[in-house]
Structure formats: C-alpha cells, structure tokens
Amino acid sequence: MTVTSYLGFGSSLGDRWAHLRDALRRMETFGPGLQVTAVSPVYQTPHLGLKPGDDTRYPPHLNLVARIETDLTPDDLLQRIQAVETAGGRQRAERWGPRTIDIDILLYGDTEFRTQALILPHPGLAERAFVVVPLADLAPDLRLPDGRSVAELRVSAPIRSQSIERVEDGLSV
C-alpha cells in the first residue's frame, strides 16, 4: 500500500543548495519504495536554536517540503532518511545545531504514531513557519490528523510572526 507523506528538508552549512538537491535525489536512489512527487519553493529562515541568540550566532537555513509516495513503513522511512543525512555529511554533535542536511518526516498519511525514535505527525509541525509555509504551497487543503488545515495554520499568528523569505520557486529532482 502506498502512502502520501511529507518531508521537511533544511540545510545551513556549506553549499546549502547542493545539500538540498543531493538529498532529494538520494531519497529515491537509496533503494526502492519511495518516489518524490512534488517539491515546494525554497525558503530562507533564521536558525531556530535552543538558546537565545542562536538565530544570529548560526547561519540561516534553506528549507523546503517534499511530497513523497512510499510503501516504506514509518520506521523504514526514518532509516532511509538517516542514511540520506549521513551520506550528506550530517553530524549529530549538537542538538538543534547547524547542519549540512536535516530531514524530518512531517506527515505519514493520516497516521498518528509514537515510538522513542519517531513521533507522527512531527510534534513541531504546526509552530514552524519553515514547515507550514512550504507545506501550504504543496497542499493548502491538507488536514492534519487533529483536523486543522494547513491553510489555517499558514495564516495563524505564530506562523505570521516568524521571519521567512521565499528564495527559489523550487528544486527539480
């Protein structure tokens, strides 16, 4: 059975454009069971860190959302993502630190799922402009499992208050 899922991609170190482009390509080439079907425009946002001042201490991120069709389980999809990140030079030295590539499973169909390694939908999805805005570009009528629509989230005060700049119409895969 194929499931429509949405993945968030971000990069803040090195050639950010190449990291995003290469990660999108690797998602499909690291094995069967996954096809990237659409890619949002690319946005630039300040670094979202854990400490005050991280937004100016670290370089800004380029972000996008990709829609995929997959027959991988959530756990298998997470393993694929982690392999793609590792191949892209991702190092997990600092929580919420800068990185070459970061990929999150935002939604896996309408599945609600919780393990130690994975929570679906992604717990920060509704509060982050760098996720909501590109997701709204791809699927404005999409509803989260809790019933909220992406279009409603897009115009909410928390999302509108965050700095986000569209910098590219989209990357081809």
Side-chain angles (χ1 to χ4, degrees):
M1 182 172 149
T2 302
V3 176
T4 301
S5 299
Y6 293 88
L7 307 178
F9 289 70
S11 178
S12 64
L13 292 176
D15 187 341
R16 300 174 301 162
W17 292 98
H19 292 308
L20 292 173
R21 202 172 14 258
D22 294 347
L24 283 165
R25 286 188 189 119
R26 283 192 303 270
M27 288 302 299
E28 291 183 321
T29 61
F30 271 33
L34 186 150
Q35 180 182 8
V36 176
T37 59
V39 179
S40 75
V42 178
Y43 290 87
Q44 182 166 284
T45 59
H47 182 86
L48 175 64
L50 290 174
K51 300 175 188 161
D54 279 357
D55 59 333
T56 56
R57 182 175 25 257
Y58 295 124
H61 285 252
L62 291 181
N63 300 281
L64 62 84
V65 169
R67 182 177 56 228
I68 65 167
E69 297 294 327
T70 186
D71 59 15
L72 300 173
T73 67
D75 289 324
D76 290 341
L77 180 56
L78 180 61
Q79 287 179 2
R80 169 84 57 94
I81 285 169
Q82 290 173 341
V84 166
E85 289 175 332
T86 299
R90 168 77 188 261
Q91 298 193 359
R92 299 181 186 279
E94 179 184 352
R95 185 166 186 241
W96 288 25
R99 65 237 13 202
T100 55
I101 190 70
D102 180 43
I103 307 168
D104 291 321
I105 305 171
L106 305 174
L107 294 161
Y108 182 89
D110 59 2
T111 299
E112 294 185 75
F113 184 83
R114 183 181 208 88
T115 65
Q116 273 197 315
L118 181 61
I119 300 172
L120 295 172
H122 190 285
L125 186 157
E127 292 84 37
R128 297 175 177 167
F130 64 84
V131 171
V132 170
V133 173
L135 182 57
D137 289 331
L138 289 182
D141 297 327
L142 181 69
R143 291 205 171 272
L144 303 183
D146 66 7
R148 293 180 293 171
S149 78
V150 172
E152 293 166 349
L153 292 174
R154 170 71 178 89
V155 297
S156 69
I159 298 304
R160 287 193 338 260
S161 71
Q162 295 173 43
S163 176
I164 184 166
E165 174 189 4
R166 186 175 176 156
V167 293
E168 178 73 31
D169 284 339
L171 296 174
S172 58
V173 218

